[in-house]
């Protein structure tokens, strides 16, 4: 029932179907162009997260990201370890002031704050996610040390040199221009301090002339609200142009004992992540269909579930 009542986020329930249709038209699968997505990234990404956040929270939890995974480790354990690893790489110390760029509903923010005893500001341009994040912060007891700012990470309303550390977890991939986003992060970070990010990238295995590769890329972009997925080399180049020295970078997928996309692979079954399995996803799809039919979920909800399913398929194929 939480899933049904929160579908659409801040969008009026009667407007959800229209929002889905507008969102779909931005993407290649529906004739959309990359330049249009980049020019309208704020509207596209906001619509995306209004439409999908309740699905994410229902199926994945409060931290909307993947993680390399050890054998015998649950999805939730791998996600927490992934967040702790990032905090340790930043060398966070108690009392420091940290910025989470593109913080979602604040799952990593809460985990990293408790792990490192830091004060974290979550930057997010989606009103529904911030409202949800504030409530979850209150429940977790970190509302006195962690807060949210509603803003575009391409133009942050924050003073220069104001944070001891900055991180982004699978968020700056939504930026229409990596350099512009990284430049803003460099501006608000205190001189000599570190920025750490988990970034979605296309590897050198991607062939832009390969129709199958193009299809996979398009499925990921529509299913994950992305204007474009950049090559790893382009991200590294943009970081350096923005003023950063790249101390360490690594494709974390290469050495992961279990593939990062395993939770979405239909051939994999897990009771602890049942909602993500083929059976669990079929159950969710039929449940949403019934809820939409009886009027408890807004019209267009099943369309959202469909493009998320398309994303899952693209991510597994792309990962493989």
């Amino acid at each position: 029932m939480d899933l049904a009542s929160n579908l659409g986020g801040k969008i009026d329930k009667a407007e959800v179907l229209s929002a889905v249709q507008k969102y779909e038209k931005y993407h290649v699968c529906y004739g959309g162009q990359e330049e249009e997505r980049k020019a309208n990234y704020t509207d596209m990404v906001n619509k995306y997260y209004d439409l999908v956040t309740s699905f994410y929270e229902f199926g994945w939890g409060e931290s909307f990201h993947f993680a390399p995974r050890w054998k015998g480790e649950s999805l939730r354990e791998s996600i927490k370890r992934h967040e702790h690893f990032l905090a340790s790489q930043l060398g966070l110390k108690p009392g420091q002031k940290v910025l989470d760029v593109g913080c979602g509903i604040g799952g990593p923010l809460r985990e990293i704050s408790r792990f490192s005893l830091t004060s974290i500001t979550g930057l997010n341009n989606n009103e529904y996610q911030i409202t949800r994040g504030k409530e979850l912060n209150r429940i977790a007891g970190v509302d006195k040390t962690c807060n949210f700012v509603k803003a575009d990470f391409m133009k942050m309303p924050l003073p220069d040199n104001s944070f001891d550390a900055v991180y982004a977890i699978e968020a700056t991939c939504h930026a229409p221009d990596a350099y512009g986003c990284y430049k803003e992060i460099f501006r608000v970070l205190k001189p000599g301090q570190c920025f750490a990010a988990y970034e979605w990238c296309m590897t050198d295995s991607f062939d832009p002339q390969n129709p199958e590769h193009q299809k996979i890329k398009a499925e990921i972009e529509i299913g994950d609200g992305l204007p474009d997925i950049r090559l790893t080399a382009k991200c590294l180049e943009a970081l350096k142009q923005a003023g950063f020295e790249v101390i360490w970078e690594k494709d974390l997928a290469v050495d992961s004992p279990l593939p990062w996309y395993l939770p979405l692979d239909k051939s994999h079954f897990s009771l602890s992540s049942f909602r993500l399995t083929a059976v669990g996803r079929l159950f969710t799809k039929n449940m949403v269909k019934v809820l939409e039919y009886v009027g408890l979920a807004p019209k267009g909800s099943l369309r959202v579930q469909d493009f998320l399913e398309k994303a899952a398929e693209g991510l597994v194929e792309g990962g493989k």
Side-chain angles (χ1 to χ4, degrees):
M1 292 308 295
D2 282 343
L3 173 64
S5 62
N6 292 325
L7 278 169
K10 289 289 183 180
I11 299 172
D12 185 279
K13 301 306 179 189
E15 299 296 320
V16 168
L17 180 58
S18 172
V20 173
Q21 291 168 337
K22 288 176 183 174
Y23 171 76
E24 289 173 337
K25 285 178 182 176
Y26 282 123
H27 290 276
V28 172
C29 308
Y30 292 85
Q33 301 295 321
E34 180 185 321
E35 289 311 311
E36 186 183 5
R37 292 196 296 280
K38 288 182 175 179
N40 297 283
Y41 74 94
T42 301
D43 179 65
M44 183 190 75
V45 176
N46 254 315
K47 277 190 172 64
Y48 175 76
Y49 279 114
D50 272 332
L51 294 168
V52 307
T53 294
S54 58
F55 278 105
Y56 272 25
E57 196 173 348
F58 175 78
W60 204 261
E62 295 177 18
S63 293
F64 302 163
H65 64 83
F66 292 98
R69 192 166 161 189
W70 293 97
K71 291 178 181 178
E73 188 176 45
S74 71
L75 174 62
R76 183 162 294 186
E77 288 168 342
S78 71
I79 284 173
K80 286 194 174 192
R81 178 181 48 76
H82 200 45
E83 292 165 357
H84 294 174
F85 179 75
L86 182 142
S88 67
Q89 289 300 297
L90 278 172
L92 297 183
K93 295 179 176 60
Q96 285 188 324
K97 188 178 175 186
V98 181
L99 179 66
D100 179 334
V101 176
C103 63
I105 60 172
L109 175 155
R110 287 181 287 280
E111 186 63 35
I112 291 172
S113 174
R114 290 178 294 200
F115 175 73
S116 60
L117 303 178
T118 51
S119 297
I120 304 183
T121 296
L123 187 89
N124 191 327
N125 209 19
N126 183 271
E127 187 180 343
Y128 171 69
Q129 287 198 334
I130 288 179
T131 301
R132 183 72 182 130
K134 285 179 177 178
E135 173 63 14
L136 292 170
N137 275 9
R138 185 190 63 75
I139 293 168
V142 298
D143 51 319
K144 299 293 190 293
T145 55
C146 297
N147 67 309
F148 294 92
V149 172
K150 186 183 184 303
D152 182 347
F153 53 34
M154 300 299 290
K155 36 184 184 286
M156 303 182 200
L158 301 168
D160 294 358
N161 311 324
S162 51
F163 291 94
D164 298 303
V166 180
Y167 68 84
I169 300 179
E170 300 182 16
T172 47
C173 49
H174 291 294
D177 167 38
Y179 164 76
C181 180
Y182 295 154
K183 188 70 176 174
E184 271 293 271
I185 291 168
F186 188 83
R187 179 183 66 79
V188 302
L189 186 62
K190 290 178 181 178
Q193 301 305 304
C194 290
F195 165 53
Y198 292 136
E199 186 69 275
W200 279 30
C201 305
M202 302 302 284
T203 71
D204 292 338
S205 298
F206 174 67
D207 177 4
Q209 305 306 317
N210 184 318
E212 183 61 21
H213 287 197
Q214 290 175 350
K215 175 178 174 290
I216 289 169
K217 182 173 181 283
E219 286 176 344
I220 296 170
E221 286 167 352
I222 188 173
D224 294 284
L226 305 179
D228 180 37
I229 312 177
R230 291 173 277 270
L231 288 166
T232 305
K234 293 291 184 184
C235 290
L236 293 170
E237 181 185 338
L239 281 165
K240 293 170 185 174
Q241 287 176 343
F244 286 106
E245 174 192 354
V246 179
I247 296 169
W248 187 68
E249 59 89 10
K250 179 178 174 61
D251 181 349
L252 294 175
V254 173
D255 297 326
S256 180
L258 295 176
W260 58 268
Y261 55 80
L262 185 67
L264 299 178
D265 191 334
K266 286 186 174 180
S267 65
H268 172 70
F269 183 83
S270 167
L271 283 175
S272 63
S273 303
F274 175 74
R275 291 175 181 177
L276 298 172
T277 64
V279 177
R281 277 147 61 182
L282 181 62
F283 174 80
T284 301
K285 180 173 184 174
N286 288 326
M287 180 181 66
V288 171
K289 189 174 184 179
V290 170
L291 290 170
E292 185 175 325
Y293 179 77
V294 299
L296 290 174
K299 290 189 183 302
S301 299
L302 192 59
R303 291 265 286 268
V304 176
Q305 207 273 341
D306 284 343
F307 70 64
L308 287 174
E309 184 65 30
K310 186 173 290 187
E313 292 169 2
L315 286 164
V316 171
E317 290 305 309
K320 287 180 177 178

